[in-house]
Amino acid sequence: METSKNNKFHLKFILLYIFLLFSPLVVNSYIPDYNIAINCGNSENTIAHNRTWVGDDNDNSNIFSFIEPKSTNPSLTLQPNSLVNAQTPFSSARISLSNFTYSFSSITTSPVFIRLHFYATSYNHSFDPSNAIFSVIVNNNLTLLENFNPSLWHHEDDDEKITKEYCIQIQPNEKLNITFIPNKGNTSNLYYAFVNGIEVVSMPSFLYYTNLDDSNYRFKFLDFDQEYQILKDIALETVYRVNVGGTQVAANDDDTGMFRNWDSDLSRYLEKRYPQSEFSVFGNPLNYLHNTIPNYTAPENVYRTARSYGMDATEDYNVTWNFEVDSGFTYMVRLHFCEIDYKIKNKEDRIFQIFIDDIMAEKAADAIGWSGAPLIPVHKDYAVIMNSQQIERVNLSVKLQRVPLTINTKYRDVLLNGIEIFKVSDTSYNLAGLNPKYLTPKEQESPNQPPKSKKSHIVMIVVVGVSCLLLALAVVGTIVFVRRRRTFETPLEMEESSWKIRKESSSTLPSHLCRYFTIAEIRAATNNFEDIFIIGVGGFGNVYKGYIDGAIPVAIKRLKSGSQQGENEFLNEIELLSQLRHNHLVSLIGYCNDGVEMILVYDFMQRGTLREYLYGSDNEPLTWKQRLEIVLGAARGLHYLHTGAKHNIIHRDVKSTNILLDEKWVAKVSDFGLSKVGPTGMSMTHVSTVVKGSLGYLDPEYYLRQRLTLKSDVYSFGVVLLEVLCARPPLMRSLDKKNVSLVVRFQRCYKEGVIIEEMVDPFIKDSITDECLKSYCQMVLSCLHDDGNQRMSMSDVVGALEFALQLEMSEEDSKFGGTQEKGKSAKMIQYPKFASDDGSDMRFTSSSGDYGSHTSKVSIISATSEDQPLFSTDVFSEVGNQRAR
Ligand SMILES: *[C@@H]1O[C@H](CO)[C@@H](O)[C@H](O)[C@H]1NC(C)=O
Ligand SMILES: *[C@@H]1O[C@H](CO)[C@@H](O)[C@H](O)[C@H]1NC(C)=O
Ligand SMILES: *[C@@H]1O[C@H](CO)[C@@H](O)[C@H](O)[C@H]1NC(C)=O
Ligand SMILES: *[C@@H]1O[C@H](CO)[C@@H](O)[C@H](O)[C@H]1NC(C)=O
């Protein structure tokens, strides 16, 4: 494994998956029959992460033996110079200038993982990490590592701890000898070998090795029409193992019993230049009933998160992951799939294409086609040879693209849940390659790049006159840039090496995420900020509608000058905003900052705000189903803010004017203006802050006690849910006192048992069933609970709204029986069938209103590191709101 489970976010990432009802905390679905962990260079046995790490410096000869030639320099047991962050097994090392061997007897007959842990730091001042160069050989014939220098392997974002993982199968009755051999040096340069931890853990026989008796499961060599098998005499190195769309699943907690580490795909592997990719979490239990794959194949957390375009992205592009590998080897690429989108229920609903190393691997990938139904995990394996003229580090990419229009599929979208990449030992039984260089893949044209060739002819005509000005602007801009950025590169260089930059510094501008507009471009788009282009006026500036690149409508938010916000904060916030990508969030397209102007450019939302379709306008009222779809979309967007991004983000100003609608009626949450990066870690469960937000939507806990939590957004969203149901503003001063507040009136009605129907918008009254209304109202009550802890989470809200929508659809079905609609909803009703193992068909069967206990709860609390930017000042208020009033 190239990366380590102990990167610096280790302690700060707390991943809680609680499957309350359906999945009674199954921790390990596989229990290894051979499981040894050695704490090298230590005389103590220590218990860490629920397993015992045995010291190699005392008598554990019943478990393994440590062997070194007597004639040579004896090995040493040393501690790293800094013990900060050095947990087991990194708190000590076995170090030697000579060969040494760990020998294991009575190995199981099943294949085993060998994991080697290295902390590439200085030991005892005389052992510098740059002199640690060595080989590792198994049983005198399999080479795992050669000229290996661990200090060259760590990424910027982990702290020099490297774990390498291998899969091998030992002959029965054979010993397993792992030998460390330092490179030959000379008198002035002595090389040494070291290791901090060794694991030998058995795995199921056919997890990665091919079962020749199972004719159903075969896989192909890409580019050759030939079957490929992983047989006993092959050794594998796990080079990458990635939880796509999710957070890291660390070896010690959430794997299925084999202590595998699953990295997050986001920071290192996902090409983010156009990242509409989506994070999705779905509350239902996964299903292994169809016997597709065993449940230990990958942890549930891997299958519960995925990436896709987002359902209504319109542009064709490849969702791409890049992995640096050694040329000259064959790789087994395993892709994990599990359909988790509730809308996709049938074969051929979501068909897409897969390319591995730019070779077409699937021209009609179909997760449900393979697995039989939603929520059933499945994986597909491929073998690919990485050829090249010389031995070098090359890029192995995995790309997903929508199918051409000629192929019939309901959703032209892609899906991937997990990636594993294994290097296959070559004919000389070797796995060793080069030390990494973290190469930069060839840059393709970025869709977000300023169009260089598309300049309009008008510009061409005046180009002579303006070019001097532009040149001057560019120079000024460059200087401003240099001053501001520590790791400055010219925009062009940044473009070319954005892949590398991402690893180097978190403070670099996300040029691959977010476009930089010149002030000239902005002036051209808004006719020099002409008033007729204004579509909204907010406390912090005007919002203009403009067209970029001649045709693409955008919302341009011009922050008032003289604001308190410094340029650094502005850029920090842009960086954060531009990383938030979700189908139900208004996307930041770019920004402009010429020293005086601070301008943000957003996707333009054709239909304006949700409120305009509820009351106070001439718009045709929305149907109940449309309303449910809109609030469900908005709930998903908020859920993403709360859990899906790197930091959990509190929106702080959820209201019906901050939910915008695009031309397809897709709801997008806007205005993260008051957003603030959420609490960090367990010690801080809320953010103390000056009360901001909008009257009528404020969480009572927030304005009474200045306690801002994720649940403050849930409260405000509850108010929106009521507005949607009743089609009236949260506060109406014109009404008599006890009815001024919508929330108070609703809660009173409920308490006094007054018929709630009286409050419901007359336009939709007839189309809501009692059952749907009841479940909706219970959800709203829970959202509006005075005590934040008692409120449901945003993920529960999503689940409850999905349920309400189902009820509504099945209602429509019975109304329009026999029509086309029927076929559609019939499937809908069937849908809960796979929702639970016990045959009960609904997620919310209780009438207690306690949704929490009837849904699988998924909560992810991710925390931020200190060096991450915080949302700071008010200037971002209403930033994303193009129709701010
Ligand atoms: C160390 O191991 C290598 C490879 O097996 C071998 O060539 C060398 O002679 C060994 N050195 C000693 C001192 O045993
Ligand atoms: C492992 O090492 C032991 C002790 O040196 C030796 O007896 C045994 O033959 C070795 N086994 C293999 C498979 O190399
Ligand atoms: C020792 O090896 C290093 C690195 O290979 C080399 O730069 C140096 O000149 C060598 N010194 C001697 C005395 O051979
Ligand atoms: C996606 O990648 C494949 C393989 O490299 C390529 O053939 C295709 O043109 C790419 N599609 C787009 C839209 O870039």
Side-chain angles (χ1 to χ4, degrees):
M1 217 64 250
E2 175 186 322
T3 61
S4 147
K5 61 189 178 195
N6 287 281
N7 64 41
K8 74 180 167 194
F9 298 113
H10 177 78
L11 285 176
K12 296 177 175 179
F13 267 60
I14 298 150
L15 193 72
L16 291 176
Y17 270 68
I18 306 164
F19 305 109
L20 277 179
L21 187 65
F22 299 116
S23 325
L25 224 72
V26 184
V27 178
N28 294 341
S29 28
Y30 170 78
I31 297 167
D33 52 4
Y34 192 90
N35 180 5
I36 288 179
I38 302 178
N39 193 5
C40 302
N42 214 306
S43 56
E44 305 285 321
N45 292 356
T46 43
I47 297 191
H49 320 307
N50 296 324
R51 46 200 309 222
T52 305
W53 290 76
V54 298
D56 68 349
D57 206 21
N58 63 1
D59 184 23
N60 276 308
S61 56
N62 56 327
I63 302 173
F64 68 94
S65 30
F66 176 74
I67 304 160
E68 53 185 337
K70 291 217 168 50
S71 56
T72 56
N73 305 308
S75 65
L76 303 168
T77 59
L78 292 176
Q79 291 189 333
N81 283 348
S82 161
L83 279 171
V84 181
N85 290 329
Q87 290 95 10
T88 305
F90 297 107
S91 56
S92 61
R94 173 70 61 177
I95 294 185
S96 181
L97 296 166
S98 311
N99 300 357
F100 60 92
T101 300
Y102 289 84
S103 179
F104 303 80
S105 46
S106 38
I107 290 274
T108 141
T109 52
S110 48
V112 291
F113 289 108
I114 296 175
R115 293 194 190 97
L116 307 176
H117 301 277
F118 304 98
Y119 184 8
T121 184
S122 324
Y123 293 86
N124 195 21
H125 300 289
S126 45
F127 290 96
D128 187 88
S130 62
N131 283 336
I133 306 182
F134 54 97
S135 303
V136 180
I137 291 182
V138 168
N139 287 355
N140 278 326
N141 62 355
L142 166 64
T143 308
L144 302 184
L145 291 162
E146 207 169 49
N147 293 319
F148 174 60
N149 183 339
S151 68
L152 298 176
W153 278 84
H154 77 87
H155 281 271
E156 290 293 322
D157 54 346
D158 57 31
D159 51 1
E160 291 136 0
K161 291 167 189 141
I162 295 102
T163 297
K164 308 285 286 173
E165 184 186 273
Y166 304 89
C167 309
I168 68 165
Q169 199 150 2
I170 306 287
Q171 302 296 327
N173 305 322
E174 208 183 29
K175 283 193 175 181
L176 166 65
N177 294 345
I178 304 174
T179 304
F180 294 77
I181 303 159
N183 275 25
K184 284 207 169 53
N186 55 33
T187 43
S188 56
N189 253 333
L190 285 178
Y191 297 121
Y192 68 95
F194 79 101
V195 61
N196 301 79
I198 300 178
E199 287 175 67
V200 182
V201 178
S202 61
M203 70 176 91
S205 302
F206 303 117
L207 177 63
Y208 300 121
Y209 284 87
T210 306
N211 182 357
L212 291 175
D213 296 334
D214 177 3
S215 53
N216 290 329
Y217 201 79
R218 288 295 137 97
F219 68 101
K220 282 252 170 85
F221 229 128
L222 291 182
D223 244 4
F224 307 89
D225 196 22
Q226 197 184 324
E227 200 176 295
Y228 195 76
Q229 295 163 343
I230 305 289
L231 300 177
K232 273 185 189 340
D233 57 355
I234 285 177
L236 301 173
E237 177 186 350
T238 317
V239 281
Y240 298 96
R241 181 178 284 130
V242 175
N243 177 14
V244 173
T247 46
Q248 184 197 18
V249 179
N252 46 39
D253 31 60
D254 281 317
D255 191 38
T256 56
M258 289 169 258
F259 308 99
R260 294 170 298 176
N261 175 67
W262 300 75
D263 278 329
S264 156
D265 66 332
L266 187 64
S267 55
R268 286 181 194 166
Y269 313 116
L270 181 67
E271 202 171 279
K272 286 189 286 188
R273 68 179 65 258
Y274 203 99
Q276 291 276 355
S277 313
E278 223 178 336
F279 172 90
S280 42
V281 173
F282 194 76
N284 280 325
L286 302 184
N287 207 328
Y288 295 89
L289 293 181
H290 285 60
N291 252 344
T292 337
I293 53 167
N295 61 354
Y296 51 67
T297 307
E300 292 220 343
N301 298 358
V302 170
Y303 290 120
R304 283 182 186 284
T305 57
R307 281 188 196 282
S308 64
Y309 285 114
M311 280 297 182
D312 44 34
T314 48
E315 230 170 311
D316 280 348
Y317 64 98
N318 280 310
V319 180
T320 304
W321 293 264
N322 294 304
F323 300 95
E324 186 182 316
V325 298
D326 288 303
S327 68
F329 286 88
T330 299
Y331 291 84
M332 172 169 93
V333 177
R334 171 168 293 185
L335 303 181
H336 296 267
F337 304 92
C338 181
E339 186 53 75
I340 50 174
D341 192 302
Y342 80 108
K343 279 186 282 188
I344 294 176
K345 305 175 203 67
N346 294 304
K347 259 173 90 157
E348 297 177 4
D349 275 2
R350 178 189 331 230
I351 298 183
F352 53 97
Q353 297 179 330
I354 302 174
F355 300 89
I356 294 173
D357 188 32
D358 293 327
I359 304 166
M360 171 89 79
E362 298 286 347
K363 57 175 184 287
D366 180 358
I368 295 183
W370 291 326
S371 71
L375 296 171
I376 298 181
V378 68
H379 66 74
K380 284 276 165 183
D381 298 347
Y382 309 90
V384 59
I385 293 186
M386 297 304 286
N387 274 325
S388 120
Q389 305 289 17
Q390 65 214 66
I391 302 299
E392 58 182 340
R393 300 284 285 176
V394 293
N395 183 35
L396 197 174
S397 63
V398 174
K399 297 180 177 179
L400 305 183
Q401 193 192 225
R402 68 176 78 202
V403 286
L405 283 164
T406 49
I407 295 187
N408 196 20
T409 181
K410 210 157 164 190
Y411 299 96
R412 290 183 66 231
D413 200 346
V414 302
L415 175 78
L416 186 60
N417 304 61
I419 305 174
E420 290 178 276
I421 299 181
F422 300 90
K423 185 199 265 182
V424 176
S425 57
D426 64 15
T427 45
S428 48
Y429 213 29
N430 170 53
L431 277 169
L434 301 174
N435 288 312
K437 56 180 188 186
Y438 297 132
L439 50 85
T440 310
K442 273 182 268 120
E443 294 289 303
Q444 299 133 336
E445 271 298 298
S446 155
N448 277 352
Q449 235 166 269
K452 279 161 200 146
S453 53
K454 284 191 213 151
K455 291 235 166 75
S456 80
H457 59 280
I458 302 169
V459 175
M460 295 298 283
I461 293 165
V462 293
V463 76
V464 180
V466 179
S467 60
C468 297
L469 178 62
L470 284 180
L471 188 67
L473 274 173
V475 169
V476 172
T478 304
I479 291 165
V480 171
F481 237 87
V482 175
R483 248 186 335 136
R484 204 182 299 130
R485 311 309 314 175
R486 269 173 298 165
T487 54
F488 171 76
E489 293 173 63
T490 71
L492 194 71
E493 281 162 357
M494 267 168 79
E495 212 44 57
E496 277 164 9
S497 57
S498 62
W499 206 54
K500 199 176 81 206
I501 282 175
R502 216 177 305 141
K503 291 165 193 139
E504 281 175 352
S505 162
S506 61
S507 65
T508 309
L509 266 181
S511 67
H512 53 289
L513 285 181
C514 179
R515 170 166 165 186
Y516 183 81
F517 290 92
T518 62
I519 188 68
E521 279 175 295
I522 300 288
R523 287 188 193 283
T526 57
N527 207 10
N528 202 12
F529 301 111
E530 201 182 332
D531 283 354
I532 56 161
F533 288 81
I534 294 179
I535 52 170
V537 181
F540 295 92
N542 294 340
V543 186
Y544 299 80
K545 180 175 179 178
Y547 290 89
I548 52 167
D549 304 341
I552 303 162
V554 291
I556 297 174
K557 177 105 190 174
R558 183 192 197 187
L559 305 182
K560 271 184 190 157
S561 53
S563 85
Q564 297 297 304
Q565 179 126 352
E567 283 174 8
N568 277 327
E569 286 86 349
F570 179 73
L571 292 170
N572 282 340
E573 296 188 7
I574 288 167
E575 171 154 20
L576 205 137
L577 284 176
S578 59
Q579 284 169 22
L580 299 173
R581 296 278 161 172
H582 190 272
N583 195 23
H584 295 291
L585 296 182
V586 174
S587 299
L588 180 70
I589 297 174
Y591 69 102
C592 166
N593 176 219
D594 75 341
V596 188
E597 295 279 1
M598 294 191 222
I599 290 165
L600 294 166
V601 181
Y602 288 90
D603 267 345
F604 181 74
M605 291 295 122
Q606 219 73 34
R607 294 190 189 269
T609 73
L610 169 60
R611 179 174 293 181
E612 289 163 61
Y613 296 89
L614 295 175
Y615 49 85
S617 80
D618 300 334
N619 291 324
E620 183 90 353
L622 300 169
T623 65
W624 178 231
K625 187 181 151 210
Q626 277 178 308
R627 294 182 202 199
L628 283 176
E629 279 167 349
I630 288 165
V631 288
L632 176 57
R636 291 212 170 103
L638 287 171
H639 173 54
Y640 169 83
L641 283 182
H642 286 186
T643 62
K646 191 163 165 191
H647 318 275
N648 45 22
I649 290 165
I650 307 173
H651 185 294
R652 300 213 288 174
D653 199 14
V654 176
K655 54 183 176 182
S656 55
T657 48
N658 277 338
I659 296 171
L660 306 184
L661 300 168
D662 74 4
E663 71 282 0
K664 291 183 202 142
W665 297 101
V666 175
K668 312 250 180 186
V669 176
S670 81
D671 195 352
F672 323 121
L674 295 172
S675 297
K676 194 170 177 95
V677 174
T680 57
M682 295 300 256
S683 56
M684 237 176 99
T685 55
H686 69 279
V687 179
S688 280
T689 167
V690 185
V691 174
K692 296 176 188 115
S694 300
L695 226 55
Y697 294 91
L698 277 183
D699 171 10
E701 274 203 326
Y702 175 31
Y703 67 75
L704 293 177
R705 298 197 270 136
Q706 272 89 65
R707 259 174 66 92
L708 182 66
T709 67
L710 297 176
K711 294 294 183 66
S712 309
D713 283 351
V714 173
Y715 182 93
S716 308
F717 193 69
V719 180
V720 172
L721 291 172
L722 266 192
E723 270 181 280
V724 164
L725 182 70
C726 308
R728 62 152 274 194
L731 297 175
M732 282 178 86
R733 310 252 178 235
S734 58
L735 295 180
D736 60 282
K737 211 171 158 193
K738 63 178 191 167
N739 288 333
V740 167
S741 160
L742 177 61
V743 171
V744 170
R745 180 167 176 215
F746 176 77
Q747 285 170 331
R748 194 186 56 244
C749 282
Y750 230 84
K751 217 178 279 165
E752 295 171 1
V754 177
I755 304 163
I756 253 15
E757 276 86 340
E758 280 182 8
M759 293 182 64
V760 175
D761 182 4
F763 281 107
I764 54 170
K765 215 177 214 163
D766 293 338
S767 53
I768 311 184
T769 60
D770 287 351
E771 197 185 354
C772 188
L773 182 61
K774 188 173 159 197
S775 100
Y776 190 89
C777 288
Q778 277 167 351
M779 168 182 63
V780 173
L781 278 177
S782 168
C783 291
L784 297 176
H785 205 290
D786 281 344
D787 176 1
N789 293 325
Q790 308 280 322
R791 288 175 209 150
M792 60 204 314
S793 69
M794 229 38 236
S795 107
D796 295 333
V797 174
V798 169
L801 283 169
E802 281 167 353
F803 176 61
L805 191 58
Q806 272 178 29
L807 285 177
E808 172 62 20
M809 308 261 292
S810 50
E811 169 63 14
E812 272 181 22
D813 171 45
S814 58
K815 259 196 222 151
F816 308 107
T819 66
Q820 221 185 347
E821 193 73 17
K822 171 154 189 181
K824 196 173 150 208
S825 332
K827 287 171 206 151
M828 203 37 128
I829 302 165
Q830 278 171 12
Y831 155 71
K833 264 195 0 210
F834 57 79
S836 69
D837 297 329
D838 59 6
S840 73
D841 63 349
M842 290 297 174
R843 271 165 293 155
F844 306 106
T845 46
S846 138
S847 55
S848 70
D850 180 9
Y851 295 97
S853 64
H854 287 268
T855 178
S856 308
K857 267 197 197 163
V858 180
S859 46
I860 298 172
I861 304 166
S862 68
T864 139
S865 74
E866 299 88 335
D867 54 5
Q868 291 299 327
L870 287 180
F871 276 97
S872 44
T873 66
D874 304 358
V875 78
F876 265 55
S877 171
E878 299 180 41
V879 131
N881 186 0
Q882 301 138 16
R883 303 267 181 135
R885 327 166 148 220

